Amino acid sequence: MTISPVLALARALLPLLAAAATASPADAAVTSIQAGADSQTQVGIGAPDTVRFGPSDRTSNVVADPYAVSKSDSRDDRGLSQAVSSAGSAVQFNGPNKADFFVRSSANANAVDGDFQYPAHAAASGSAFYDFSVNTESTLSFTFSAFASAAPAANAYVALNLFNYGTHTYLRQGLVAGADALSYTVPVGSYGVTITAFSEGTIPANISTNTVANSGATANLSLAVSAVPEPATWMLMLLAIGAVGAVQRGRWSTAPTAAALQRPPTKG
C-alpha cells in the first residue's frame, strides 16, 4: 500500500503538533515591583474629636511576615457606649505570577439607653496589594470569594481594583460579592491589584432604645498571570487538529470494508 506524501508528513509531525495543541498557556515573564498588607482601625466615644486611631499596621516584607493586624476598642466611663474594631490582611506568593490575598474587617458599636449617652463610632479596614509588570501580552485571572454584612446603622463592603500604571487608568474599580472569577487581557506594562475589606458602625447620642451597629467583611483572592499564546502557537494548534484529521482519514481509507471481510476467498 502506498501512503500519500501528505499523509506521511502528517504522521511524522503528529507527535509535535499534538503536544502543541494540548500545551497550556505559558507563564508570562512577571517582575514583582512591590507588595504589602495594611490594616487600620479607629474608634471613638463622644465628640468627633475623640475618635482615636488604632495601631495602623503595614507590612511590605511579605516573605518574612505576610500578615498585618490592627485592633482598637473604647468605652465611656459609665459603660453606656462602646466601640470595638478589628482588621487583618495578608498576601502570599507562589512565584511572581501567582499571588493569594486575604483581607478582613469588623466594626462593632453598641449603646444602651441612658441619660447623656454618648455617640459611638467604630471603623476598620484591611487591605492587601501587589504591583507588578509583564513583558508580553498577558491574561490576569482572578478567583475570589467576598462576603460582607452590616446592621441597619452600619456599613461593610469588599472592593477590588486593578490599575494600569502606564495609562493611569483603572481597568476595574468597585465592589465584589459572592464567589466568582474574572479575567483581563493586558498589554506589556505595569499593573497594580488592591483588595480591601471595610467595615463601619455608628450610633448617635441619646438613643431611646438599646442599639447595636455591627458590621463585617472578609475576602479571599487568587491571581494568576499567564502569557497570551502567540499567533504561531495558534497556527501549530490548528495544524495539529488538521494532522489528526488527515491521519484518521487515512486509516478510514485503507481499512477493509465490511463487504470485503465477508467476501469468500477466490478459488485458484
Side-chain angles (χ1 to χ4, degrees), residues 41-255:
T41 55
Q42 63 179 46
V43 294
I45 302 294
D49 59 4
T50 65
V51 172
R52 296 182 299 178
F53 286 89
S56 178
D57 191 359
R58 173 170 180 158
T59 177
S60 56
N61 186 357
V62 295
V63 175
D65 181 16
Y67 197 58
V69 181
S70 179
K71 184 176 182 180
S72 301
D73 64 86
S74 180
R75 71 172 64 219
D76 72 277
D77 295 338
R78 298 173 300 158
L80 297 180
S81 300
Q82 182 179 9
V84 179
S85 58
S86 172
S89 54
V91 56
Q92 292 181 301
F93 292 92
N94 183 16
N97 65 310
K98 293 182 180 180
D100 294 312
F101 306 79
F102 169 73
V103 291
R104 66 167 181 84
S105 64
S106 64
N108 303 316
N110 59 80
V112 298
D113 180 19
D115 294 334
F116 303 106
Q117 170 260 322
Y118 297 126
H121 173 79
S125 175
S127 180
F129 66 92
Y130 179 37
D131 296 340
F132 59 93
S133 63
V134 293
N135 69 344
T136 185
E137 185 179 20
S138 303
T139 299
L140 312 183
S141 300
F142 298 92
T143 56
F144 65 85
S145 59
F147 304 94
S149 62
N155 180 37
Y157 62 79
V158 176
L160 173 61
N161 298 332
L162 174 60
F163 189 75
N164 184 332
Y165 284 105
T167 60
H168 300 284
T169 57
Y170 281 98
L171 301 179
R172 189 198 188 283
Q173 184 179 27
L175 307 183
V176 289
D180 205 350
L182 302 169
S183 65
Y184 299 87
T185 300
V186 298
V188 175
S190 299
Y191 301 89
V193 176
T194 304
I195 185 166
T196 301
F198 177 79
S199 302
E200 183 179 32
T202 300
I203 296 179
N206 301 320
I207 58 174
S208 58
T209 60
N210 296 350
T211 304
V212 175
N214 294 342
S215 63
T218 182
N220 291 279
L221 172 71
S222 294
L223 165 66
V225 184
S226 59
V228 174
E230 297 290 340
T233 303
W234 286 114
M235 183 61 69
L236 280 177
M237 293 180 180
L238 293 175
L239 287 174
I241 295 173
V244 172
V247 171
Q248 191 63 49
R249 286 194 300 272
R251 290 173 179 170
W252 289 342
S253 62
T254 58

